[in-house]
């Protein structure tokens, strides 16, 4: 697999996860705070941290 495909897939995946955290925060009246940046940078780790810290 080409490296550019892996990088693009990772970028798209992390962006979708970040959007999910944002939408979840809006629907539940929770402020995601710094978890948006963490999710964008680290993906699933950020989502897990967001969901388990509140």
């Amino acid at each position: 697999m080409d490296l550019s495909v892996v990088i693009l897939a990772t970028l798209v995946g992390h962006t979708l996860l970040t959007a999910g955290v944002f939408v979840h925060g809006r629907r539940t009246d929770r402020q995601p705070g710094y978890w948006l940046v963490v999710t964008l940078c680290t993906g699933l780790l950020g989502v897990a941290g967001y969901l388990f810290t509140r």
Side-chain angles (χ1 to χ4, degrees):
M1 186 179 276
D2 190 18
L3 182 60
S4 62
V5 173
V6 172
I7 291 172
L8 180 63
T10 301
L11 180 63
V12 168
H14 288 205
T15 302
L16 290 173
L17 287 170
T18 302
V21 169
F22 178 78
V23 169
H24 182 268
R26 295 283 253 181
R27 287 188 173 186
T28 60
D29 288 331
R30 288 172 51 181
Q31 292 295 326
Y34 61 86
W35 288 112
L36 292 175
V37 175
V38 173
T39 303
L40 189 58
C41 295
T42 62
L44 292 175
L45 181 63
V47 171
Y50 168 75
L51 292 175
F52 290 116
T53 58
R54 299 195 186 232

